[in-house]
Amino acid sequence: MSDPAVDVVEFLLTAHTYTEAEDLDEDDLPPRYRQVFWSDGSIERPLAVTQDRARTATSVDHPWDAVSDLLFTQRTEFSGEISLTQPEMALEWYLDHVDEDRLAANPTLAYAAEHDDDANVDVSREQAREENQPIQADRVWIDSLLDEYFDEDDDAEMLDLVHILAPEEIETTLDDLVLTEDQQEEVNKIVTAIENRDYLASIGLSEIGKILFVGPPGTGKTTISRGLAHELGLPFVEVKLSMVTSQYLGETAKNVEKTFEVAKRLSPCILFIDEFDSVAKTRKSDEHAALKRAVNTLLKSIDDISLVRDEVLTVAATNHPDQLDAAAWRRFDEVVNFPKPDRQMRADILRIVTQDMQMAEFDPEAIADETEGLTGSDLRMVLREAVLQALTEGRRELTQQDVMNAVQGFEERDNLKNMDMIDGEGAAIAGDGGHDHGHDHDH
Ligand SMILES: Nc1ncnc2c1ncn2[C@@H]1O[C@H](COP(=O)(O)OP(=O)(O)OP(=O)(O)O)[C@@H](O)[C@H]1O
Ligand SMILES: [Mg+2]
């Protein structure tokens, strides 16, 4: 827990410095501060600190109480605004109370320290700006950008087609995932390429940053992409391609174009194109002209976008690589395989999924032996079942047997999914599913 007085003084000093120094811009403010000063698509000087704003920005319940004892603060009775009577003294006090890591998280105050002769710190505004999340990644900024591009009539269609997440809205992190060596290497490559894009541009290497993820459902293609956005602090722009090829055809080509424009405006960002195979299907068949136009626009837009030039990392995902033609494959410089997890990966996934659960005599390896062919998503579902079953029996602690039973239940369900409803073979297959009748129906 940090000291409420320091938190509020930091906020006051930031507002004061930003108001005075015209050469500071939005990217010099920490995201939490930007949000409270954001209105109608911009941040206007002066930045006035009301109690409400201070509370939202700092999470201190009574901001004035936290700083009222200090000699350099004041509150205006009428408006309730809090401000600094002696900013120099406030800066000196603040620098005495924080370490350099904290200063490095606030470019405006790094700037103030740089311009203060008495301050003796090694953090520069430039450094702090590089660490600070750019305003393009803020929800408020994303929303105002969407408003600019899509008027109300387009809303329904666009919401189906594009979904944008700010990095702080993404809950999954890469730590929640078990990756193959190949996938891990690819993640490292991407992170390195993004960090070195100026260099890559300078040597004329612009044909990188378009990646195709190939693998069955539930193997982590979407999750790893989101995790990357979270890790790198980038907005995540997700396009559902099946939507491009479904309804509202008249407008679709235009909306695909807009989507790529939005991604460029949001850059640096990750553009995730899901269900990429739906493009291939439509190219083969004899489809509507508007649909062809939309698909061609999409392929051309992918050609035109670049990680190095536009700072957009393009990731496409497919469950049906066999349906992609050469023209589609050619557009990607890396292809990453998402196989179903092997025994070792399954055990690791089970460990991660259960890390916050109460487990008794849990042996993930033994369950991995019994779950050949299950994906990460399947394993999550198995654990969910086990938890619910135990809860209905009034228990929070899971046993190995609970998990084994849930595996069994999952396999039966899987059989149902594959059963042929038309020729009536279903009953026989479902019967096959319960090898071990002892556990089948122990209510
Ligand atoms: N390797 C893995 N390690 C940990 N969790 C995994 C792994 N693979 C999948 N999962 C979990 O399974 C769930 C589904 O994964 P995700 O949606 O990313 O799959 P996908 O490959 O995008 O599937 P689809 O092709 O159906 O879109 C997520 O909750 C994810 O955490
Ligand atoms: Mg997915």
Side-chain angles (χ1 to χ4, degrees):
M1 267 289 311
S2 67
D3 177 351
V6 177
D7 293 346
V8 177
V9 168
E10 171 166 2
F11 185 57
L12 289 167
L13 260 175
T14 306
H16 170 82
T17 309
Y18 190 88
T19 301
E20 299 280 299
E22 295 279 341
D23 48 332
L24 295 174
D25 64 32
E26 287 94 340
D27 286 340
D28 288 296
L29 294 172
R32 285 187 80 185
Y33 293 3
R34 279 200 295 255
Q35 274 167 30
V36 301
F37 291 120
W38 181 268
S39 95
D40 281 347
S42 68
I43 291 175
E44 300 271 346
R45 291 179 171 84
L47 308 188
V49 177
T50 58
Q51 287 264 28
D52 272 351
R53 282 178 172 162
R55 193 176 302 120
T56 311
T58 62
S59 307
V60 173
D61 285 339
H62 303 286
W64 171 244
D65 292 349
V67 297
S68 57
D69 283 350
L70 298 167
L71 292 175
F72 46 79
T73 56
Q74 68 176 2
R75 180 166 65 157
T76 313
E77 273 317 319
F78 181 64
S79 64
E81 261 175 45
I82 313 174
S83 58
L84 298 170
T85 50
Q86 298 178 68
E88 299 79 19
M89 195 195 278
L91 181 62
E92 193 182 325
W93 182 91
Y94 173 75
L95 292 175
D96 276 347
H97 284 79
V98 299
D99 58 13
E100 298 204 337
D101 283 347
R102 170 123 181 201
L103 191 59
N106 186 328
T108 296
L109 293 191
Y111 170 96
E114 247 177 4
H115 289 78
D116 183 78
D117 294 335
D118 300 328
N120 182 21
V121 285
D122 276 339
V123 180
S124 72
R125 170 198 177 199
E126 270 324 301
Q127 267 172 294
R129 269 174 73 98
E130 269 175 35
E131 295 298 314
N132 199 30
Q133 175 174 299
I135 190 161
Q136 279 89 335
D138 288 0
R139 185 78 241 173
V140 283
W141 201 87
I142 291 171
D143 284 341
S144 65
L145 186 71
L146 288 176
D147 282 349
E148 182 185 327
Y149 273 82
F150 305 113
D151 59 42
E152 300 240 322
D153 300 340
D154 297 339
D155 262 9
E157 176 177 1
M158 281 312 300
L159 290 181
D160 285 346
L161 183 65
V162 195
H163 184 62
I164 303 182
L165 290 174
E168 64 267 17
E169 292 165 342
I170 299 172
E171 278 162 17
T172 18
T173 66
L174 293 178
D175 293 340
D176 298 328
L177 282 172
V178 177
L179 303 181
T180 64
E181 226 165 272
D182 192 29
Q183 290 163 356
Q184 187 60 57
E185 238 169 66
E186 197 57 42
V187 166
N188 294 344
K189 230 190 270 178
I190 293 167
V191 173
T192 313
I194 290 183
E195 284 169 356
N196 293 283
R197 54 180 181 262
D198 291 346
Y199 167 72
L200 293 169
S202 76
I203 58 171
L205 254 193
S206 58
E207 271 72 54
I208 54 163
K210 288 174 203 166
I211 306 168
L212 181 63
F213 287 174
V214 173
T219 48
K221 301 180 294 298
T222 302
T223 313
I224 200 176
S225 312
R226 290 186 175 193
L228 260 175
H230 178 92
E231 196 96 339
L232 296 167
L234 304 178
F236 186 74
V237 184
E238 179 171 354
V239 191
K240 282 242 183 275
L241 264 206
S242 57
M243 291 302 168
V244 175
T245 56
S246 59
Q247 6 174 0
Y248 324 106
L249 281 172
E251 297 291 306
T252 306
K254 203 177 82 200
N255 281 336
V256 168
E257 256 168 19
K258 282 188 186 174
T259 304
F260 277 78
E261 274 175 48
V262 165
K264 285 183 193 174
R265 289 280 304 274
L266 273 174
S267 67
C269 71
I270 295 182
L271 175 64
F272 182 70
I273 308 175
D274 211 354
E275 308 169 327
F276 192 70
D277 39 273
S278 41
V279 168
K281 268 178 257 165
T282 60
R283 265 157 70 93
K284 267 186 237 136
S285 56
D286 188 23
E287 288 282 357
H288 207 286
L291 181 53
K292 285 221 167 101
R293 210 164 51 236
V295 169
N296 285 333
T297 304
L298 175 81
L299 292 177
K300 187 168 176 311
S301 304
I302 294 179
D303 283 342
D304 288 348
I305 206 157
S306 149
L307 173 64
V308 169
R309 205 180 43 247
D310 306 305
E311 306 194 11
V312 177
L313 173 73
T314 311
V315 179
T318 177
N319 297 329
H320 305 287
D322 50 311
Q323 290 179 6
L324 299 184
D325 58 13
W329 279 98
R330 189 164 42 73
R331 290 182 157 82
F332 299 97
D333 51 85
E334 306 266 352
V335 177
V336 185
N337 186 23
F338 282 69
K340 288 192 171 179
D342 62 16
R343 180 179 177 280
Q344 184 58 49
M345 280 179 77
R346 288 197 299 278
D348 290 343
I349 292 172
L350 287 165
R351 264 187 279 273
I352 288 183
V353 176
T354 55
Q355 65 194 352
D356 296 324
M357 302 178 185
Q358 295 174 37
M359 309 298 293
E361 12 119 12
F362 179 51
D363 180 0
E365 314 284 337
I367 293 166
D369 283 334
E370 299 297 316
T371 48
E372 169 89 54
L374 267 58
T375 63
S377 161
D378 297 336
L379 293 172
R380 270 187 189 277
M381 203 184 292
V382 164
L383 260 303
R384 194 160 58 224
E385 267 315 300
V387 168
L388 287 178
Q389 184 59 38
L391 277 181
T392 58
E393 292 168 18
R395 288 180 292 121
R396 290 206 164 163
E397 193 179 63
L398 287 192
T399 64
Q400 185 78 353
Q401 192 57 50
D402 288 330
V403 184
M404 284 295 191
N405 290 347
V407 169
Q408 189 109 56
F410 183 88
E411 279 167 1
E412 277 158 29
R413 188 187 135 126
D414 215 39
N415 281 331
L416 284 178
K417 197 173 65 193
N418 297 330
M419 125 184 140
D420 190 338
M421 301 297 277
I422 295 169
D423 67 9
E425 296 283 310
I429 297 178
D432 269 4
H435 318 284
D436 180 355
H437 289 277
H439 295 300
D440 251 349
H441 302 287
D442 56 356
H443 306 281

